[in-house]
PDB file of all heavy atoms in Angstrom:
ATOM      1  N   HIS A  29     -37.883 -56.234  35.426  1.00  0.00           N
ATOM      2  CA  HIS A  29     -37.741 -57.689  35.375  1.00  0.00           C
ATOM      3  C   HIS A  29     -39.083 -58.371  35.707  1.00  0.00           C
ATOM      4  O   HIS A  29     -39.125 -59.415  36.384  1.00  0.00           O
ATOM      5  CB  HIS A  29     -36.603 -58.221  36.269  1.00  0.00           C
ATOM      6  CG  HIS A  29     -36.712 -57.782  37.695  1.00  0.00           C
ATOM      7  ND1 HIS A  29     -36.526 -56.439  38.064  1.00  0.00           N
ATOM      8  CD2 HIS A  29     -36.950 -58.408  38.826  1.00  0.00           C
ATOM      9  CE1 HIS A  29     -36.718 -56.321  39.358  1.00  0.00           C
ATOM     10  NE2 HIS A  29     -37.009 -57.504  39.841  1.00  0.00           N
ATOM     11  N   ALA A  30     -40.156 -57.826  35.232  1.00  0.00           N
ATOM     12  CA  ALA A  30     -41.484 -58.351  35.523  1.00  0.00           C
ATOM     13  C   ALA A  30     -41.682 -59.829  35.026  1.00  0.00           C
ATOM     14  O   ALA A  30     -42.408 -60.565  35.601  1.00  0.00           O
ATOM     15  CB  ALA A  30     -42.541 -57.433  34.951  1.00  0.00           C
ATOM     16  N   ASP A  31     -40.941 -60.146  33.975  1.00  0.00           N
ATOM     17  CA  ASP A  31     -41.075 -61.504  33.373  1.00  0.00           C
ATOM     18  C   ASP A  31     -40.130 -62.467  34.001  1.00  0.00           C
ATOM     19  O   ASP A  31     -40.222 -63.650  33.674  1.00  0.00           O
ATOM     20  CB  ASP A  31     -40.846 -61.453  31.844  1.00  0.00           C
ATOM     21  CG  ASP A  31     -41.885 -60.587  31.141  1.00  0.00           C
ATOM     22  OD1 ASP A  31     -43.052 -60.517  31.659  1.00  0.00           O
ATOM     23  OD2 ASP A  31     -41.588 -60.091  30.078  1.00  0.00           O
ATOM     24  N   GLU A  32     -39.229 -62.062  34.860  1.00  0.00           N
ATOM     25  CA  GLU A  32     -38.291 -62.977  35.469  1.00  0.00           C
ATOM     26  C   GLU A  32     -38.884 -63.686  36.674  1.00  0.00           C
ATOM     27  O   GLU A  32     -39.750 -63.193  37.296  1.00  0.00           O
ATOM     28  CB  GLU A  32     -37.041 -62.198  35.912  1.00  0.00           C
ATOM     29  CG  GLU A  32     -36.319 -61.562  34.727  1.00  0.00           C
ATOM     30  CD  GLU A  32     -35.128 -60.715  35.151  1.00  0.00           C
ATOM     31  OE1 GLU A  32     -34.710 -60.805  36.332  1.00  0.00           O
ATOM     32  OE2 GLU A  32     -34.687 -59.955  34.348  1.00  0.00           O
ATOM     33  N   LYS A  33     -38.383 -64.895  36.965  1.00  0.00           N
ATOM     34  CA  LYS A  33     -38.852 -65.673  38.092  1.00  0.00           C
ATOM     35  C   LYS A  33     -38.404 -65.104  39.372  1.00  0.00           C
ATOM     36  O   LYS A  33     -37.329 -64.589  39.552  1.00  0.00           O
ATOM     37  CB  LYS A  33     -38.338 -67.076  37.978  1.00  0.00           C
ATOM     38  CG  LYS A  33     -39.059 -67.936  36.976  1.00  0.00           C
ATOM     39  CD  LYS A  33     -38.585 -69.398  37.126  1.00  0.00           C
ATOM     40  CE  LYS A  33     -39.516 -70.292  36.298  1.00  0.00           C
ATOM     41  NZ  LYS A  33     -39.156 -71.645  36.500  1.00  0.00           N
ATOM     42  N   VAL A  34     -39.281 -65.135  40.406  1.00  0.00           N
ATOM     43  CA  VAL A  34     -38.961 -64.770  41.772  1.00  0.00           C
ATOM     44  C   VAL A  34     -38.552 -66.016  42.473  1.00  0.00           C
ATOM     45  O   VAL A  34     -39.099 -67.104  42.343  1.00  0.00           O
ATOM     46  CB  VAL A  34     -40.204 -64.151  42.429  1.00  0.00           C
ATOM     47  CG1 VAL A  34     -39.938 -63.935  43.912  1.00  0.00           C
ATOM     48  CG2 VAL A  34     -40.553 -62.873  41.766  1.00  0.00           C
ATOM     49  N   HIS A  35     -37.469 -65.909  43.277  1.00  0.00           N
ATOM     50  CA  HIS A  35     -36.962 -67.023  44.029  1.00  0.00           C
ATOM     51  C   HIS A  35     -37.188 -66.717  45.520  1.00  0.00           C
ATOM     52  O   HIS A  35     -36.526 -65.856  46.104  1.00  0.00           O
ATOM     53  CB  HIS A  35     -35.467 -67.254  43.836  1.00  0.00           C
ATOM     54  CG  HIS A  35     -35.180 -67.700  42.429  1.00  0.00           C
ATOM     55  ND1 HIS A  35     -35.417 -68.983  41.953  1.00  0.00           N
ATOM     56  CD2 HIS A  35     -34.668 -67.029  41.352  1.00  0.00           C
ATOM     57  CE1 HIS A  35     -35.090 -69.048  40.712  1.00  0.00           C
ATOM     58  NE2 HIS A  35     -34.663 -67.931  40.322  1.00  0.00           N
ATOM     59  N   SER A  36     -38.144 -67.411  46.122  1.00  0.00           N
ATOM     60  CA  SER A  36     -38.423 -67.209  47.547  1.00  0.00           C
ATOM     61  C   SER A  36     -37.611 -68.204  48.350  1.00  0.00           C
ATOM     62  O   SER A  36     -37.217 -69.270  47.926  1.00  0.00           O
ATOM     63  CB  SER A  36     -39.904 -67.379  47.811  1.00  0.00           C
ATOM     64  OG  SER A  36     -40.340 -68.628  47.544  1.00  0.00           O
ATOM     65  N   GLU A  37     -37.278 -67.787  49.578  1.00  0.00           N
ATOM     66  CA  GLU A  37     -36.473 -68.612  50.446  1.00  0.00           C
ATOM     67  C   GLU A  37     -36.997 -68.492  51.894  1.00  0.00           C
ATOM     68  O   GLU A  37     -37.404 -67.460  52.353  1.00  0.00           O
ATOM     69  CB  GLU A  37     -35.037 -68.066  50.378  1.00  0.00           C
ATOM     70  CG  GLU A  37     -34.088 -68.759  51.279  1.00  0.00           C
ATOM     71  CD  GLU A  37     -32.679 -68.262  51.164  1.00  0.00           C
ATOM     72  OE1 GLU A  37     -31.938 -68.763  50.260  1.00  0.00           O
ATOM     73  OE2 GLU A  37     -32.271 -67.352  51.852  1.00  0.00           O
ATOM     74  N   PHE A  38     -37.029 -69.658  52.518  1.00  0.00           N
ATOM     75  CA  PHE A  38     -37.361 -69.619  53.976  1.00  0.00           C
ATOM     76  C   PHE A  38     -36.118 -69.379  54.794  1.00  0.00           C
ATOM     77  O   PHE A  38     -35.039 -69.954  54.418  1.00  0.00           O
ATOM     78  CB  PHE A  38     -38.059 -70.981  54.318  1.00  0.00           C
ATOM     79  CG  PHE A  38     -39.458 -71.014  53.893  1.00  0.00           C
ATOM     80  CD1 PHE A  38     -39.754 -71.528  52.583  1.00  0.00           C
ATOM     81  CD2 PHE A  38     -40.484 -70.647  54.684  1.00  0.00           C
ATOM     82  CE1 PHE A  38     -41.040 -71.551  52.186  1.00  0.00           C
ATOM     83  CE2 PHE A  38     -41.817 -70.688  54.269  1.00  0.00           C
ATOM     84  CZ  PHE A  38     -42.105 -71.180  53.011  1.00  0.00           C
ATOM     85  N   HIS A  39     -36.255 -68.643  55.868  1.00  0.00           N
ATOM     86  CA  HIS A  39     -35.122 -68.268  56.690  1.00  0.00           C
ATOM     87  C   HIS A  39     -35.566 -68.469  58.114  1.00  0.00           C
ATOM     88  O   HIS A  39     -36.695 -68.064  58.464  1.00  0.00           O
ATOM     89  CB  HIS A  39     -34.697 -66.851  56.462  1.00  0.00           C
ATOM     90  CG  HIS A  39     -33.612 -66.338  57.293  1.00  0.00           C
ATOM     91  ND1 HIS A  39     -33.679 -65.171  58.014  1.00  0.00           N
ATOM     92  CD2 HIS A  39     -32.425 -66.888  57.646  1.00  0.00           C
ATOM     93  CE1 HIS A  39     -32.595 -65.005  58.761  1.00  0.00           C
ATOM     94  NE2 HIS A  39     -31.789 -66.026  58.525  1.00  0.00           N
ATOM     95  N   ALA A  40     -34.764 -69.145  58.894  1.00  0.00           N
ATOM     96  CA  ALA A  40     -35.097 -69.413  60.315  1.00  0.00           C
ATOM     97  C   ALA A  40     -33.864 -69.203  61.205  1.00  0.00           C
ATOM     98  O   ALA A  40     -32.703 -69.488  60.738  1.00  0.00           O
ATOM     99  CB  ALA A  40     -35.642 -70.785  60.503  1.00  0.00           C
ATOM    100  N   THR A  41     -34.030 -68.672  62.368  1.00  0.00           N
ATOM    101  CA  THR A  41     -32.963 -68.500  63.363  1.00  0.00           C
ATOM    102  C   THR A  41     -33.439 -69.145  64.649  1.00  0.00           C
ATOM    103  O   THR A  41     -34.602 -69.059  65.038  1.00  0.00           O
ATOM    104  CB  THR A  41     -32.602 -67.053  63.589  1.00  0.00           C
ATOM    105  OG1 THR A  41     -33.705 -66.370  64.061  1.00  0.00           O
ATOM    106  CG2 THR A  41     -32.039 -66.430  62.349  1.00  0.00           C
ATOM    107  N   TYR A  42     -32.448 -69.791  65.317  1.00  0.00           N
ATOM    108  CA  TYR A  42     -32.794 -70.461  66.572  1.00  0.00           C
ATOM    109  C   TYR A  42     -31.639 -70.232  67.584  1.00  0.00           C
ATOM    110  O   TYR A  42     -30.480 -70.203  67.229  1.00  0.00           O
ATOM    111  CB  TYR A  42     -32.837 -71.968  66.335  1.00  0.00           C
ATOM    112  CG  TYR A  42     -33.630 -72.419  65.177  1.00  0.00           C
ATOM    113  CD1 TYR A  42     -33.010 -73.088  64.118  1.00  0.00           C
ATOM    114  CD2 TYR A  42     -34.996 -72.182  65.049  1.00  0.00           C
ATOM    115  CE1 TYR A  42     -33.735 -73.531  63.005  1.00  0.00           C
ATOM    116  CE2 TYR A  42     -35.691 -72.643  63.957  1.00  0.00           C
ATOM    117  CZ  TYR A  42     -35.080 -73.283  62.922  1.00  0.00           C
ATOM    118  OH  TYR A  42     -35.794 -73.697  61.836  1.00  0.00           O
ATOM    119  N   THR A  43     -32.017 -70.138  68.851  1.00  0.00           N
ATOM    120  CA  THR A  43     -31.074 -70.179  69.944  1.00  0.00           C
ATOM    121  C   THR A  43     -31.528 -71.234  70.893  1.00  0.00           C
ATOM    122  O   THR A  43     -32.713 -71.205  71.290  1.00  0.00           O
ATOM    123  CB  THR A  43     -30.969 -68.845  70.673  1.00  0.00           C
ATOM    124  OG1 THR A  43     -30.620 -67.804  69.673  1.00  0.00           O
ATOM    125  CG2 THR A  43     -29.911 -68.843  71.726  1.00  0.00           C
ATOM    126  N   LEU A  44     -30.640 -72.145  71.222  1.00  0.00           N
ATOM    127  CA  LEU A  44     -30.964 -73.252  72.153  1.00  0.00           C
ATOM    128  C   LEU A  44     -30.014 -73.228  73.341  1.00  0.00           C
ATOM    129  O   LEU A  44     -28.934 -72.674  73.242  1.00  0.00           O
ATOM    130  CB  LEU A  44     -30.733 -74.629  71.476  1.00  0.00           C
ATOM    131  CG  LEU A  44     -31.331 -74.826  70.144  1.00  0.00           C
ATOM    132  CD1 LEU A  44     -30.904 -76.189  69.523  1.00  0.00           C
ATOM    133  CD2 LEU A  44     -32.856 -74.713  70.135  1.00  0.00           C
ATOM    134  N   ASN A  45     -30.532 -73.722  74.435  1.00  0.00           N
ATOM    135  CA  ASN A  45     -29.744 -73.811  75.666  1.00  0.00           C
ATOM    136  C   ASN A  45     -29.728 -75.323  76.014  1.00  0.00           C
ATOM    137  O   ASN A  45     -30.801 -75.951  76.134  1.00  0.00           O
ATOM    138  CB  ASN A  45     -30.307 -73.010  76.838  1.00  0.00           C
ATOM    139  CG  ASN A  45     -29.412 -72.988  78.018  1.00  0.00           C
ATOM    140  OD1 ASN A  45     -28.288 -73.564  78.018  1.00  0.00           O
ATOM    141  ND2 ASN A  45     -29.884 -72.447  79.094  1.00  0.00           N
ATOM    142  N   CYS A  46     -28.531 -75.893  76.155  1.00  0.00           N
ATOM    143  CA  CYS A  46     -28.412 -77.343  76.439  1.00  0.00           C
ATOM    144  C   CYS A  46     -27.842 -77.539  77.828  1.00  0.00           C
ATOM    145  O   CYS A  46     -26.661 -77.094  78.074  1.00  0.00           O
ATOM    146  CB  CYS A  46     -27.576 -78.012  75.363  1.00  0.00           C
ATOM    147  SG  CYS A  46     -28.292 -77.822  73.696  1.00  0.00           S
ATOM    148  N   ALA A  47     -28.537 -78.251  78.656  1.00  0.00           N
ATOM    149  CA  ALA A  47     -28.132 -78.450  80.056  1.00  0.00           C
ATOM    150  C   ALA A  47     -26.845 -79.318  80.103  1.00  0.00           C
ATOM    151  O   ALA A  47     -25.981 -79.147  81.024  1.00  0.00           O
ATOM    152  CB  ALA A  47     -29.268 -79.073  80.858  1.00  0.00           C
ATOM    153  N   GLN A  48     -26.695 -80.274  79.165  1.00  0.00           N
ATOM    154  CA  GLN A  48     -25.555 -81.134  79.127  1.00  0.00           C
ATOM    155  C   GLN A  48     -24.915 -81.076  77.747  1.00  0.00           C
ATOM    156  O   GLN A  48     -25.098 -82.034  76.948  1.00  0.00           O
ATOM    157  CB  GLN A  48     -26.005 -82.596  79.450  1.00  0.00           C
ATOM    158  CG  GLN A  48     -26.738 -82.808  80.775  1.00  0.00           C
ATOM    159  CD  GLN A  48     -25.765 -82.531  81.935  1.00  0.00           C
ATOM    160  OE1 GLN A  48     -24.561 -82.883  81.853  1.00  0.00           O
ATOM    161  NE2 GLN A  48     -26.302 -81.957  83.022  1.00  0.00           N
ATOM    162  N   PRO A  49     -24.232 -80.024  77.435  1.00  0.00           N
ATOM    163  CA  PRO A  49     -23.683 -79.863  76.068  1.00  0.00           C
ATOM    164  C   PRO A  49     -22.726 -81.024  75.662  1.00  0.00           C
ATOM    165  O   PRO A  49     -22.596 -81.240  74.468  1.00  0.00           O
ATOM    166  CB  PRO A  49     -22.978 -78.511  76.088  1.00  0.00           C
ATOM    167  CG  PRO A  49     -22.846 -78.139  77.517  1.00  0.00           C
ATOM    168  CD  PRO A  49     -23.891 -78.892  78.265  1.00  0.00           C
ATOM    169  N   GLU A  50     -22.117 -81.609  76.645  1.00  0.00           N
ATOM    170  CA  GLU A  50     -21.194 -82.745  76.315  1.00  0.00           C
ATOM    171  C   GLU A  50     -21.910 -83.927  75.705  1.00  0.00           C
ATOM    172  O   GLU A  50     -21.315 -84.769  75.032  1.00  0.00           O
ATOM    173  CB  GLU A  50     -20.390 -83.184  77.571  1.00  0.00           C
ATOM    174  CG  GLU A  50     -21.269 -83.736  78.657  1.00  0.00           C
ATOM    175  CD  GLU A  50     -21.900 -82.776  79.565  1.00  0.00           C
ATOM    176  OE1 GLU A  50     -21.752 -81.539  79.402  1.00  0.00           O
ATOM    177  OE2 GLU A  50     -22.567 -83.190  80.559  1.00  0.00           O
ATOM    178  N   ALA A  51     -23.214 -83.942  75.836  1.00  0.00           N
ATOM    179  CA  ALA A  51     -24.046 -85.031  75.256  1.00  0.00           C
ATOM    180  C   ALA A  51     -24.469 -84.712  73.818  1.00  0.00           C
ATOM    181  O   ALA A  51     -25.213 -85.504  73.163  1.00  0.00           O
ATOM    182  CB  ALA A  51     -25.260 -85.299  76.118  1.00  0.00           C
ATOM    183  N   LEU A  52     -24.041 -83.569  73.281  1.00  0.00           N
ATOM    184  CA  LEU A  52     -24.365 -83.235  71.852  1.00  0.00           C
ATOM    185  C   LEU A  52     -23.498 -84.035  70.940  1.00  0.00           C
ATOM    186  O   LEU A  52     -22.445 -83.540  70.458  1.00  0.00           O
ATOM    187  CB  LEU A  52     -24.197 -81.757  71.690  1.00  0.00           C
ATOM    188  CG  LEU A  52     -25.187 -80.865  72.338  1.00  0.00           C
ATOM    189  CD1 LEU A  52     -24.775 -79.368  72.285  1.00  0.00           C
ATOM    190  CD2 LEU A  52     -26.587 -81.030  71.728  1.00  0.00           C
ATOM    191  N   THR A  53     -23.846 -85.242  70.712  1.00  0.00           N
ATOM    192  CA  THR A  53     -23.019 -86.166  69.878  1.00  0.00           C
ATOM    193  C   THR A  53     -23.477 -86.256  68.436  1.00  0.00           C
ATOM    194  O   THR A  53     -22.725 -86.713  67.595  1.00  0.00           O
ATOM    195  CB  THR A  53     -23.007 -87.602  70.460  1.00  0.00           C
ATOM    196  OG1 THR A  53     -24.418 -88.015  70.564  1.00  0.00           O
ATOM    197  CG2 THR A  53     -22.390 -87.575  71.845  1.00  0.00           C
ATOM    198  N   GLU A  54     -24.767 -85.856  68.128  1.00  0.00           N
ATOM    199  CA  GLU A  54     -25.211 -85.969  66.736  1.00  0.00           C
ATOM    200  C   GLU A  54     -26.417 -85.060  66.554  1.00  0.00           C
ATOM    201  O   GLU A  54     -27.059 -84.605  67.555  1.00  0.00           O
ATOM    202  CB  GLU A  54     -25.569 -87.414  66.377  1.00  0.00           C
ATOM    203  CG  GLU A  54     -26.756 -87.958  67.161  1.00  0.00           C
ATOM    204  CD  GLU A  54     -27.039 -89.415  66.830  1.00  0.00           C
ATOM    205  OE1 GLU A  54     -26.171 -90.100  66.335  1.00  0.00           O
ATOM    206  OE2 GLU A  54     -28.198 -89.829  67.056  1.00  0.00           O
ATOM    207  N   ILE A  55     -26.772 -84.831  65.326  1.00  0.00           N
ATOM    208  CA  ILE A  55     -28.035 -84.169  64.949  1.00  0.00           C
ATOM    209  C   ILE A  55     -28.702 -85.082  63.950  1.00  0.00           C
ATOM    210  O   ILE A  55     -28.117 -85.437  62.910  1.00  0.00           O
ATOM    211  CB  ILE A  55     -27.780 -82.807  64.303  1.00  0.00           C
ATOM    212  CG1 ILE A  55     -27.064 -81.900  65.307  1.00  0.00           C
ATOM    213  CG2 ILE A  55     -29.070 -82.171  63.924  1.00  0.00           C
ATOM    214  CD1 ILE A  55     -26.666 -80.543  64.653  1.00  0.00           C
ATOM    215  N   ASN A  56     -29.955 -85.435  64.190  1.00  0.00           N
ATOM    216  CA  ASN A  56     -30.746 -86.227  63.248  1.00  0.00           C
ATOM    217  C   ASN A  56     -31.587 -85.207  62.512  1.00  0.00           C
ATOM    218  O   ASN A  56     -32.403 -84.522  63.068  1.00  0.00           O
ATOM    219  CB  ASN A  56     -31.569 -87.243  64.004  1.00  0.00           C
ATOM    220  CG  ASN A  56     -32.308 -88.173  63.031  1.00  0.00           C
ATOM    221  OD1 ASN A  56     -32.511 -87.845  61.859  1.00  0.00           O
ATOM    222  ND2 ASN A  56     -32.754 -89.293  63.527  1.00  0.00           N
ATOM    223  N   PHE A  57     -31.574 -85.214  61.188  1.00  0.00           N
ATOM    224  CA  PHE A  57     -32.216 -84.313  60.333  1.00  0.00           C
ATOM    225  C   PHE A  57     -33.604 -84.842  59.946  1.00  0.00           C
ATOM    226  O   PHE A  57     -33.872 -85.292  58.875  1.00  0.00           O
ATOM    227  CB  PHE A  57     -31.406 -83.950  59.096  1.00  0.00           C
ATOM    228  CG  PHE A  57     -30.309 -83.002  59.352  1.00  0.00           C
ATOM    229  CD1 PHE A  57     -29.200 -83.394  60.115  1.00  0.00           C
ATOM    230  CD2 PHE A  57     -30.322 -81.735  58.853  1.00  0.00           C
ATOM    231  CE1 PHE A  57     -28.166 -82.517  60.378  1.00  0.00           C
ATOM    232  CE2 PHE A  57     -29.288 -80.835  59.085  1.00  0.00           C
ATOM    233  CZ  PHE A  57     -28.225 -81.255  59.837  1.00  0.00           C
ATOM    234  N   ALA A  58     -34.606 -84.755  60.966  1.00  0.00           N
ATOM    235  CA  ALA A  58     -35.963 -85.105  60.690  1.00  0.00           C
ATOM    236  C   ALA A  58     -36.544 -84.132  59.697  1.00  0.00           C
ATOM    237  O   ALA A  58     -37.629 -84.339  59.166  1.00  0.00           O
ATOM    238  CB  ALA A  58     -36.726 -85.063  61.993  1.00  0.00           C
ATOM    239  N   TYR A  59     -35.862 -83.046  59.407  1.00  0.00           N
ATOM    240  CA  TYR A  59     -36.186 -82.045  58.439  1.00  0.00           C
ATOM    241  C   TYR A  59     -36.595 -82.738  57.124  1.00  0.00           C
ATOM    242  O   TYR A  59     -37.549 -82.339  56.398  1.00  0.00           O
ATOM    243  CB  TYR A  59     -35.034 -81.072  58.195  1.00  0.00           C
ATOM    244  CG  TYR A  59     -35.000 -80.296  56.980  1.00  0.00           C
ATOM    245  CD1 TYR A  59     -35.802 -79.137  56.857  1.00  0.00           C
ATOM    246  CD2 TYR A  59     -34.140 -80.585  55.931  1.00  0.00           C
ATOM    247  CE1 TYR A  59     -35.799 -78.353  55.715  1.00  0.00           C
ATOM    248  CE2 TYR A  59     -34.149 -79.809  54.792  1.00  0.00           C
ATOM    249  CZ  TYR A  59     -34.948 -78.711  54.710  1.00  0.00           C
ATOM    250  OH  TYR A  59     -34.925 -77.948  53.541  1.00  0.00           O
ATOM    251  N   PHE A  60     -35.825 -83.754  56.733  1.00  0.00           N
ATOM    252  CA  PHE A  60     -36.082 -84.440  55.456  1.00  0.00           C
ATOM    253  C   PHE A  60     -37.463 -85.185  55.471  1.00  0.00           C
ATOM    254  O   PHE A  60     -38.058 -85.372  54.446  1.00  0.00           O
ATOM    255  CB  PHE A  60     -34.970 -85.493  55.114  1.00  0.00           C
ATOM    256  CG  PHE A  60     -33.660 -84.810  54.849  1.00  0.00           C
ATOM    257  CD1 PHE A  60     -32.575 -85.032  55.708  1.00  0.00           C
ATOM    258  CD2 PHE A  60     -33.481 -83.952  53.770  1.00  0.00           C
ATOM    259  CE1 PHE A  60     -31.344 -84.412  55.424  1.00  0.00           C
ATOM    260  CE2 PHE A  60     -32.246 -83.343  53.528  1.00  0.00           C
ATOM    261  CZ  PHE A  60     -31.175 -83.608  54.321  1.00  0.00           C
ATOM    262  N   ASP A  61     -37.888 -85.615  56.618  1.00  0.00           N
ATOM    263  CA  ASP A  61     -39.196 -86.232  56.774  1.00  0.00           C
ATOM    264  C   ASP A  61     -40.357 -85.263  56.629  1.00  0.00           C
ATOM    265  O   ASP A  61     -41.395 -85.589  56.125  1.00  0.00           O
ATOM    266  CB  ASP A  61     -39.310 -86.966  58.114  1.00  0.00           C
ATOM    267  CG  ASP A  61     -38.294 -88.068  58.343  1.00  0.00           C
ATOM    268  OD1 ASP A  61     -37.935 -88.651  57.292  1.00  0.00           O
ATOM    269  OD2 ASP A  61     -37.928 -88.291  59.473  1.00  0.00           O
ATOM    270  N   GLU A  62     -40.088 -84.009  57.018  1.00  0.00           N
ATOM    271  CA  GLU A  62     -41.106 -82.978  56.911  1.00  0.00           C
ATOM    272  C   GLU A  62     -41.268 -82.387  55.555  1.00  0.00           C
ATOM    273  O   GLU A  62     -42.357 -81.978  55.151  1.00  0.00           O
ATOM    274  CB  GLU A  62     -40.806 -81.837  57.891  1.00  0.00           C
ATOM    275  CG  GLU A  62     -41.023 -82.189  59.335  1.00  0.00           C
ATOM    276  CD  GLU A  62     -42.469 -82.357  59.707  1.00  0.00           C
ATOM    277  OE1 GLU A  62     -43.334 -81.688  59.069  1.00  0.00           O
ATOM    278  OE2 GLU A  62     -42.752 -83.126  60.615  1.00  0.00           O
ATOM    279  N   PHE A  63     -40.151 -82.327  54.795  1.00  0.00           N
ATOM    280  CA  PHE A  63     -40.165 -81.608  53.520  1.00  0.00           C
ATOM    281  C   PHE A  63     -39.627 -82.507  52.397  1.00  0.00           C
ATOM    282  O   PHE A  63     -38.432 -82.695  52.265  1.00  0.00           O
ATOM    283  CB  PHE A  63     -39.342 -80.283  53.643  1.00  0.00           C
ATOM    284  CG  PHE A  63     -39.822 -79.373  54.706  1.00  0.00           C
ATOM    285  CD1 PHE A  63     -39.164 -79.181  55.908  1.00  0.00           C
ATOM    286  CD2 PHE A  63     -41.066 -78.723  54.537  1.00  0.00           C
ATOM    287  CE1 PHE A  63     -39.671 -78.345  56.904  1.00  0.00           C
ATOM    288  CE2 PHE A  63     -41.553 -77.880  55.537  1.00  0.00           C
ATOM    289  CZ  PHE A  63     -40.794 -77.693  56.706  1.00  0.00           C
ATOM    290  N   GLU A  64     -40.528 -83.073  51.662  1.00  0.00           N
ATOM    291  CA  GLU A  64     -40.191 -84.090  50.712  1.00  0.00           C
ATOM    292  C   GLU A  64     -39.303 -83.642  49.579  1.00  0.00           C
ATOM    293  O   GLU A  64     -38.622 -84.419  48.936  1.00  0.00           O
ATOM    294  CB  GLU A  64     -41.401 -84.790  50.162  1.00  0.00           C
ATOM    295  CG  GLU A  64     -42.301 -83.879  49.291  1.00  0.00           C
ATOM    296  CD  GLU A  64     -43.596 -84.527  48.865  1.00  0.00           C
ATOM    297  OE1 GLU A  64     -44.159 -85.288  49.650  1.00  0.00           O
ATOM    298  OE2 GLU A  64     -43.975 -84.296  47.671  1.00  0.00           O
ATOM    299  N   ASN A  65     -39.257 -82.326  49.261  1.00  0.00           N
ATOM    300  CA  ASN A  65     -38.473 -81.850  48.218  1.00  0.00           C
ATOM    301  C   ASN A  65     -36.978 -81.545  48.621  1.00  0.00           C
ATOM    302  O   ASN A  65     -36.165 -81.222  47.783  1.00  0.00           O
ATOM    303  CB  ASN A  65     -39.057 -80.579  47.533  1.00  0.00           C
ATOM    304  CG  ASN A  65     -40.405 -80.867  46.863  1.00  0.00           C
ATOM    305  OD1 ASN A  65     -40.561 -81.964  46.324  1.00  0.00           O
ATOM    306  ND2 ASN A  65     -41.296 -79.922  46.922  1.00  0.00           N
ATOM    307  N   ALA A  66     -36.776 -81.572  49.926  1.00  0.00           N
ATOM    308  CA  ALA A  66     -35.468 -81.339  50.464  1.00  0.00           C
ATOM    309  C   ALA A  66     -34.545 -82.571  50.212  1.00  0.00           C
ATOM    310  O   ALA A  66     -34.936 -83.632  50.598  1.00  0.00           O
ATOM    311  CB  ALA A  66     -35.521 -80.989  51.938  1.00  0.00           C
ATOM    312  N   LEU A  67     -33.359 -82.341  49.623  1.00  0.00           N
ATOM    313  CA  LEU A  67     -32.492 -83.449  49.314  1.00  0.00           C
ATOM    314  C   LEU A  67     -31.189 -83.433  50.097  1.00  0.00           C
ATOM    315  O   LEU A  67     -30.599 -84.481  50.419  1.00  0.00           O
ATOM    316  CB  LEU A  67     -32.159 -83.465  47.823  1.00  0.00           C
ATOM    317  CG  LEU A  67     -33.298 -83.489  46.892  1.00  0.00           C
ATOM    318  CD1 LEU A  67     -32.876 -83.349  45.446  1.00  0.00           C
ATOM    319  CD2 LEU A  67     -34.157 -84.767  47.131  1.00  0.00           C
ATOM    320  N   GLU A  68     -30.730 -82.202  50.451  1.00  0.00           N
ATOM    321  CA  GLU A  68     -29.428 -82.029  51.082  1.00  0.00           C
ATOM    322  C   GLU A  68     -29.396 -80.752  51.924  1.00  0.00           C
ATOM    323  O   GLU A  68     -30.101 -79.783  51.591  1.00  0.00           O
ATOM    324  CB  GLU A  68     -28.364 -81.900  49.967  1.00  0.00           C
ATOM    325  CG  GLU A  68     -26.971 -81.622  50.424  1.00  0.00           C
ATOM    326  CD  GLU A  68     -25.996 -81.459  49.219  1.00  0.00           C
ATOM    327  OE1 GLU A  68     -26.159 -82.138  48.229  1.00  0.00           O
ATOM    328  OE2 GLU A  68     -25.201 -80.541  49.297  1.00  0.00           O
ATOM    329  N   VAL A  69     -28.650 -80.791  52.955  1.00  0.00           N
ATOM    330  CA  VAL A  69     -28.373 -79.572  53.764  1.00  0.00           C
ATOM    331  C   VAL A  69     -26.865 -79.395  53.896  1.00  0.00           C
ATOM    332  O   VAL A  69     -26.175 -80.317  54.303  1.00  0.00           O
ATOM    333  CB  VAL A  69     -29.042 -79.655  55.143  1.00  0.00           C
ATOM    334  CG1 VAL A  69     -28.659 -78.394  55.980  1.00  0.00           C
ATOM    335  CG2 VAL A  69     -30.520 -79.824  55.076  1.00  0.00           C
TER     336      VAL A  69
END
């Protein structure tokens, strides 16, 4: 399949510790500000 397109993908894993988990009321996706081609998650 030398003539076929390669599809690359970024992969990330994270572990967070939150001192006040009850305050986790929302996530703001600043991701869209960093990556202009990103449209949806």
Side-chain angles (χ1 to χ4, degrees):
H29 54 290
D31 295 333
E32 296 176 14
K33 283 190 169 185
V34 171
H35 294 284
S36 61
E37 176 177 274
F38 284 87
H39 177 229
T41 58
Y42 316 115
T43 304
L44 310 175
N45 186 6
C46 299
Q48 302 294 324
E50 64 277 3
L52 291 170
T53 57
E54 67 182 22
I55 300 173
N56 184 341
F57 283 68
Y59 163 77
F60 293 116
D61 297 331
E62 288 291 329
F63 302 108
E64 66 183 40
N65 294 328
L67 304 175
E68 175 184 322
V69 177

